[in-house]
Amino acid sequence: MKEQKKANESSTFISNYTFDPEQSRKNLANMIIVHEYPLSMVEHLGFIIYFEGLQPLLKIPSRNTINSDIVKIYEYEKVN
């Protein structure tokens, strides 16, 4: 179980949570695509600190890994 804060930060609730590292990587790749961020953003100190604060168990992917993920998304979308 994971304790989560509501948007106003004044109260919390408990919920079940399943962490999916592959989905997190896909979400990161989609964020980079949608906002046209540089692939190097995954190496920026501020991003690393933020990312590790959200999920310390997830290894931050390299820019080559993110590039590969983006190419996979592109190929998938191209077929569909």
Side-chain angles (χ1 to χ4, degrees):
M1 288 198 192
K2 179 176 175 137
E3 183 177 305
Q4 297 178 341
K5 292 190 180 283
K6 291 185 179 180
N8 64 13
E9 297 291 324
S10 64
S11 60
T12 59
F13 64 95
I14 303 293
S15 67
N16 287 331
Y17 177 76
T18 303
F19 175 66
D20 183 352
E22 291 193 24
Q23 184 61 47
S24 293
R25 269 188 35 201
K26 184 176 178 183
N27 291 343
L28 176 59
N30 279 315
M31 179 183 74
I32 290 172
I33 292 167
V34 168
H35 296 289
E36 299 179 4
Y37 292 141
L39 297 176
S40 63
M41 77 170 281
V42 300
E43 298 169 348
H44 295 175
L45 179 60
F47 179 78
I48 292 169
I49 292 168
Y50 178 72
F51 196 88
E52 289 175 347
L54 289 176
Q55 183 47 265
L57 301 176
L58 181 61
K59 182 180 181 286
I60 299 173
S62 70
R63 82 168 92 176
N64 291 332
T65 301
I66 289 297
N67 185 51
S68 175
D69 292 345
I70 289 171
V71 169
K72 288 177 189 173
I73 291 169
Y74 170 78
E75 293 296 331
Y76 175 80
E77 293 295 329
K78 186 173 146 182
V79 169
N80 295 322

